[in-house]
Amino acid sequence: AGPGAPGAGRTTPGLVLLQLDGVGHDVLRRAAGRGVMPTVAAWLDGGHRLAPWRTDWSSQTGASQLGILHGSTYDVPAFRWYEKDTGEVVVCNRPTSAAELQRRAVARTGDRGLLAHGGASRGNLFSGGADELALVLSVSARRGRGNRSRAGYFAYFSDPANAVRTAVSFGAEVVREAVQSVRARLRGDRPRVPRGGLYPFVRAFATVVERDVVVAAVIGDMLAGRACVYADLVGYDEVAHHCGPHGPDTDQVLARLDRCLASIARVAEHAPRPYRIVLLSDHGQSPGETFLARYGLTLKDLVRAGCGLPVSRRAGRTHSGAEARAAVRAALHRPEEEDADEARPARGRDPVVLASGNLALISFPAVPGRARREWIERTHPALLPTLANHPGVGFLLVDGEVLGPDGAVARLAVPGEAEALLAPYGPGAAEAVRRTDGFPHVADVMVNSAYDPAAGTVHAFEEQIGSHGGLGGEQGRPFLMWPHGLSDPGRALVGAEAVHAVLRGWLRESAQGEPGPQWPGRKRGKLPELLAEGPKGAEEDQRQQAPADGTLPSAGVSGQDETR
């Protein structure tokens, strides 16, 4: 049996890696300090260490999780980008794109991934090389009853108690979102984005259904004694996009996530092997009014105007992408987001403009390779000045040069020039831009929104008032939190690849048999009435300290959902 198989290596500690999607370092600290996340606060008091790490320019789940699980963020310039060699738009939360990005990372590193030896991947964009998969987007395009990406749903909802409990909580969350949306409109909250249509159901799916299924799968993995589990909980990220990263709406989500952590810790007391629980995030969220709301037009309209192309009189809305929406489509057997025209733009004169939070990419399909600055200025003389001098734009990357307002130019090849121009965006900004400039699929023009360092705000080019994807503010400061017994990284972590290296080191430490933390009251042998009790239902979501609803399998139901 492999090291992660049930019955193997039961005396060595296992690792449970829980990704709180979109929760920035400062958000977690404030939530723990204000009592919103008492479990996290107790862990910090009990010896857990907390440290921030810094993302690349592309501060979004696709790049960060690919780096964390597969050790490479190379050539992932944004959440979505246009590739001239294939004529296709790559979108990180599209299953076919996720599968291709994973393939490229494996080919580049020569390694299957972090979870290749006895690991399990739950609710992620990528598999990490795990054999045990559930709700993994990179395999969700596969058809058939044996599709393991949806195995977690089948196993979880085969228990009527789970189905009823989660359905009630789902309905309660839809109502909660409707009430919160109405209150926000009555208060006149600003900034604000539309929260109608299907959004209440998408939010309920992310904060209830996917949470319950993923946590139940993690608990099943712990009871099976797996060596390593990596799971992504996306609820906060989805709500923060529409409600902003700070406030009562997101506090409620953080409180429920904290109760999930408490449930997982209680099960760890009865698992057949000791477990170390590590918390981490892939990026943070930066607040701010959208580009459209602030200036009355989309970036695509501004680009077309700068190119002398007709602009629609009616401002359209830029499609917003998020991991939760991809999970809903995968669960409904509708994994692809875009239609054919969006996935394969026509190779004409019109530029392709794609948004990734407060980062946007402009490509000219008719130009082979990367467009030179001289060509852009000769063909579209008004475009670069129009963009660089717009108050909603912070800087541009064009052909190895950073362009700012009032004619400011910094050449990346000249030491110090980019560092001076990008100083407001924080330490490491110039190096992050310089690295992206070397990617084969960097866009002809990369556009980062304006950033207000005093307020910490940006302007998303999508319909999001809490956004991430570029430089500026808390979006680039996720966290890593680990228990005593694991070695200290000993240095500031820059990039998801560095986080991958730390996690690999911790896996090696665990494999060497070093004793894991002893949770208070840790017990071995039979589970008590913990699983038999189960969660109490939707009403528990209203109580701050109660166990999380829908997270524990009911008595007698196997936790090994991937084999059901």
Side-chain angles (χ1 to χ4, degrees), residues 381-450:
L383 176 61
L384 297 183
T386 297
L387 292 174
N389 292 306
H390 192 280
V393 172
F395 66 89
L396 314 176
L397 171 63
V398 186
D399 192 19
E401 295 180 333
V402 179
L403 310 184
D406 302 322
V409 179
R411 294 162 294 177
L412 293 175
V414 178
E417 286 191 2
E419 280 76 6
L421 184 56
L422 298 177
Y425 290 86
E431 187 55 39
V433 171
R434 191 174 286 113
R435 181 173 187 263
T436 302
D437 183 66
F439 288 168
H441 290 112
V442 63
D444 295 329
V445 183
M446 304 279 289
V447 184
N448 201 99
S449 85

Side-chain angles (χ1 to χ4, degrees), residues 43 217 225 309 391 469:
W43 290 356
L309 299 171

Side-chain angles (χ1 to χ4, degrees), residues 7 48 153 166 210 233 319 334 392 396 414 425 432 459 467 500 512 524 545 550:
H48 270 67
Y153 296 115
T166 299
E210 191 166 16
L233 298 168
H319 187 85
R334 298 174 60 87
L396 314 176
V414 178
Y425 290 86
H459 297 301
S467 67
H500 173 87
Q512 291 170 1
R524 294 187 179 274
Q545 304 296 332

